[in-house]
Amino acid sequence: MGRFLRKLLPFGVYTGFDSDNSSGDFSEANHKVPEMLDLDPHQSKRTGKHNGETEIQENGIKRHRTSLPAPMFSRSDFSVWSILKKCIGLELSKITMPIVFNEPLSFLQRITEYMEHIYLINRACSHADPLERMQAVAAFAVSAVASQWERTGKPFNPLLGETYELTREDLGFRFISEQVSHHPPISAFYSEGLNKDFVFHGSIYPKLKFWGKSIEAEPRGTITLELLKHNEAYTWTNPTCCVHNVIIGKLWLEQYGVVEIVNHSTGDKCVLNFKPCGLFGKELHRVEGYIQDKHRKKLCVIYGKWTECLWCTDPTTYETYKKSEKRGGEQKKKSVSEKTGSDKVIKSENDEADDMPEVQDTVHFIPGSKLLWRINCRPPNSSQMYNFTSFAVSLNELEKGMEAILAPTDCRLRPDIRNMENGNMDVASKEKERLEEKQRAARKERAKDEVEWHTRWFHQGTNPYTGTSDWLYSGGYFDRNFSDCPDIY
């Protein structure tokens, strides 16, 4: 059950029913591949640029691709229930889901989407005021989960030893991640500024709960951001992610729980409450919190939606506004009650608590608030590209000459993901099964020879700021000595 749950959740969470324990009873290659969705005709005129030729702009900066080589396949012919109803009494970790439920990215690439809003880290580095630095870091922590919005496809589960690197000179960072454990699945990552101004690292392993119609992932693993110029380190964990309607109905997700961001140098703390949507969806996607100093004095209030934007204001202004809003709400409620003769909200017996609630109005702007972050607009054809952001679209791009310098374990070289991205779903399914079988065989061989697996770029240790167990970068990846990398593809 644990393997099944662990793989059905987004961002670290939705990493997919794939299992090297798969019995093969429900081989995805046996499922008929549905027809493609039609792309915008203007988007169909694609060339070899998707296979590696990246356009160079006049300013010398690379222009990354803006669309995928092929549109996503329709999932309308499939449901999770159509698979699970055949598996009553079976070990769920032995189920292989149809590849149509995937998106053409590895979970390691999904983790890299933390860096989409790296300008917030740059902003934090540039501020002299520690309060403004914490505001920028808080915005970065919220922005890191924003790419999950409407992303209900699951990334491919990384193979043990799989890696992903990304260097973006235009954004000023480089990033490396590795799948350091398969049972349980743990992904470790490390990123640094090209100007040596920050280090960002962590490891992710969620704890899962299955509630019948929904799956909840409580994140484990510490996220650490070090601002080197200011000699500061911030740590936090992500909010809980919940995917609803996993059996039947339209999938939708929410984030909830309290996230505490600690500045280990100043003692300042930011407490962010990701609110659950509630019965009628009033709080859907809302985030509220505050920043306090080491003496627990509130310095500012933060509010917004993780799917839209984040604002901050001073505590006095916020409290005054909330009291005024509450008085206005009570007056409105009283008026409605007088007209209807009741102050109760009637819910149809056919309504389902797990149905996707209607999105309420946007965040109410409090006069005098400062904008901390706003979500990036997605490409016009995003719905035909797994609801990817522009940043996500570029992650699996294989530029000309890149294959010669990448580690042989890099996600971009995975044949199942590459074939899915190119629209070759049958080939992708067969390649995925082949890779899983190869991984099983390698594991059995190690067990037979009593050989332990050794990670290549990370080692298990202790987080220097929290004292908790963590996976730390060992260094050396960018020296590009890949002679001892395992053959996993």
Side-chain angles (χ1 to χ4, degrees):
M1 175 69 77
R3 287 257 330 149
F4 162 71
L5 299 179
R6 188 162 49 242
K7 294 171 180 176
L8 190 65
L9 288 161
F11 202 176
V13 189
Y14 203 107
T15 56
F17 284 93
D18 327 345
S19 171
D20 67 357
N21 290 327
S22 174
S23 64
D25 294 338
F26 299 93
S27 169
E28 51 198 49
N30 294 329
H31 290 271
K32 181 181 178 182
V33 176
E35 295 182 357
M36 279 188 179
L37 299 171
D38 289 331
L39 274 179
D40 184 320
H42 297 291
Q43 297 294 333
S44 63
K45 299 177 181 178
R46 296 190 174 90
T47 67
K49 289 181 181 178
H50 292 285
N51 295 322
E53 295 181 23
T54 303
E55 183 180 350
I56 303 297
Q57 301 181 84
E58 291 183 2
N59 60 7
I61 294 177
K62 295 177 182 177
R63 185 192 301 276
H64 294 272
R65 69 182 184 182
T66 57
S67 58
L68 299 179
M72 70 177 286
F73 283 74
S74 172
R75 297 173 181 150
S76 59
D77 295 336
F78 292 92
S79 70
V80 175
W81 176 240
S82 69
I83 308 299
L84 296 185
K85 67 182 181 182
K86 303 175 184 178
C87 305
I88 297 174
L90 296 181
E91 171 57 48
L92 291 178
S93 66
K94 296 184 178 181
I95 302 170
T96 299
M97 291 294 291
I99 203 170
V100 72
F101 288 106
N102 283 75
E103 62 179 25
L105 289 177
S106 168
F107 178 55
L108 297 182
Q109 292 167 310
R110 179 72 85 90
I111 293 176
T112 312
E113 293 182 54
Y114 273 126
M115 308 307 292
E116 179 167 358
H117 299 275
I118 188 177
Y119 72 89
L120 293 168
I121 294 182
N122 297 332
R123 180 185 296 173
C125 291
S126 68
H127 283 310
D129 183 357
L131 174 59
E132 291 184 307
R133 291 198 295 273
M134 177 63 90
Q135 290 171 351
V137 172
F140 176 74
V142 173
S143 75
V145 301
S147 66
Q148 297 179 45
W149 183 40
E150 298 185 332
R151 294 271 291 280
T152 54
K154 66 182 184 66
F156 282 71
N157 199 36
L159 301 170
L160 182 62
E162 185 174 315
T163 61
Y164 181 72
E165 69 162 281
L166 181 65
T167 298
R168 289 289 298 265
E169 295 181 1
D170 55 329
L171 299 178
F173 75 89
R174 62 185 185 182
F175 183 101
I176 173 62
S177 57
E178 179 182 8
Q179 190 70 6
V180 294
S181 174
H182 194 66
H183 293 296
I186 302 176
S187 306
F189 67 90
Y190 171 88
S191 181
E192 61 186 17
L194 297 181
N195 293 324
K196 307 297 182 184
D197 48 353
F198 75 88
V199 170
F200 177 57
H201 56 94
S203 54
I204 297 178
Y205 164 47
K207 179 181 179 182
L208 301 145
K209 296 178 182 178
F210 183 41
W211 299 108
K213 293 176 64 179
S214 62
I215 295 176
E216 181 183 79
E218 179 186 345
R220 287 183 174 181
T222 303
I223 310 297
T224 304
L225 173 64
E226 301 178 38
L227 304 183
L228 304 181
K229 173 184 175 181
H230 301 285
N231 195 28
E232 289 182 339
Y234 301 79
T235 60
W236 68 91
T237 57
N238 287 324
T240 296
C241 179
C242 185
V243 179
H244 297 269
N245 295 339
V246 296
I247 301 299
I248 192 170
K250 182 180 179 181
L251 290 171
W252 64 279
L253 64 93
E254 63 175 325
Q255 310 272 356
Y256 49 77
V258 176
V259 173
E260 290 191 357
I261 306 171
V262 178
N263 183 332
H264 292 269
S265 299
T266 65
D268 294 349
K269 179 187 294 186
C270 177
V271 180
L272 297 174
N273 182 12
F274 286 71
K275 296 192 173 185
C277 73
L279 186 59
F280 302 107
K282 182 179 179 181
E283 303 293 341
L284 184 63
H285 306 325
R286 292 186 181 271
V287 180
E288 288 185 5
Y290 55 87
I291 297 175
Q292 65 180 30
D293 63 18
K294 62 182 179 180
H295 303 297
R296 297 188 177 183
K297 177 184 177 181
K298 287 188 179 181
L299 304 177
C300 78
V301 172
I302 294 175
Y303 67 96
K305 285 189 174 184
W306 64 267
T307 57
E308 294 181 17
C309 57
L310 210 60
W311 303 83
C312 72
T313 188
D314 68 90
T316 302
T317 301
Y318 183 79
E319 291 301 323
T320 300
Y321 179 85
K322 295 299 285 187
K323 289 179 181 178
S324 174
E325 186 181 49
K326 184 177 181 180
R327 287 195 298 268
E330 290 174 349
Q331 289 296 326
K332 184 177 180 180
K333 182 178 179 181
K334 181 179 179 181
S335 176
V336 172
S337 177
E338 289 173 349
K339 290 180 181 179
T340 62
S342 172
D343 60 355
K344 296 181 180 180
V345 179
I346 306 299
K347 185 174 175 65
S348 168
E349 62 180 8
N350 294 323
D351 289 345
E352 295 289 343
D354 242 4
D355 285 348
M356 172 68 177
E358 291 187 10
V359 178
Q360 303 297 311
D361 55 1
T362 189
V363 177
H364 290 173
F365 173 75
I366 300 175
S369 297
K370 179 175 73 173
L371 180 67
L372 297 179
W373 161 80
R374 188 184 299 279
I375 195 170
N376 291 336
C377 293
R378 294 190 176 180
N381 54 341
S382 178
S383 62
Q384 298 171 351
M385 299 189 299
Y386 310 89
N387 287 312
F388 282 0
T389 64
S390 295
F391 186 82
V393 167
S394 70
L395 291 177
N396 203 46
E397 187 175 12
L398 192 59
E399 301 175 20
K400 187 176 182 180
M402 182 181 286
E403 190 169 351
I405 64 172
L406 286 174
T409 50
D410 194 277
C411 307
R412 297 177 184 88
L413 306 179
R414 274 188 67 158
D416 50 355
I417 297 178
R418 182 61 57 190
N419 275 283
M420 183 181 184
E421 181 183 271
N422 290 332
N424 304 322
M425 298 292 282
D426 288 332
V427 177
S429 293
K430 293 175 182 177
E431 284 293 323
K432 182 167 174 288
E433 291 181 3
R434 181 185 66 81
L435 293 176
E436 291 171 350
E437 179 56 38
K438 183 173 183 176
Q439 181 170 236
R440 284 192 289 272
R443 187 189 63 180
K444 291 177 181 178
E445 190 67 24
R446 289 195 303 272
K448 177 182 177 182
D449 297 339
E450 298 183 346
V451 175
E452 291 187 4
W453 174 265
H454 294 287
T455 55
R456 182 65 179 83
W457 310 111
F458 291 82
H459 63 275
Q460 197 163 16
T462 301
N463 187 291
Y465 306 104
T466 64
T468 57
S469 178
D470 203 353
W471 285 85
L472 308 176
Y473 180 52
S474 301
Y477 177 88
F478 294 100
D479 294 337
R480 303 203 174 278
N481 178 11
F482 302 137
S483 58
D484 59 346
C485 285
D487 174 16
I488 60 174
Y489 302 145

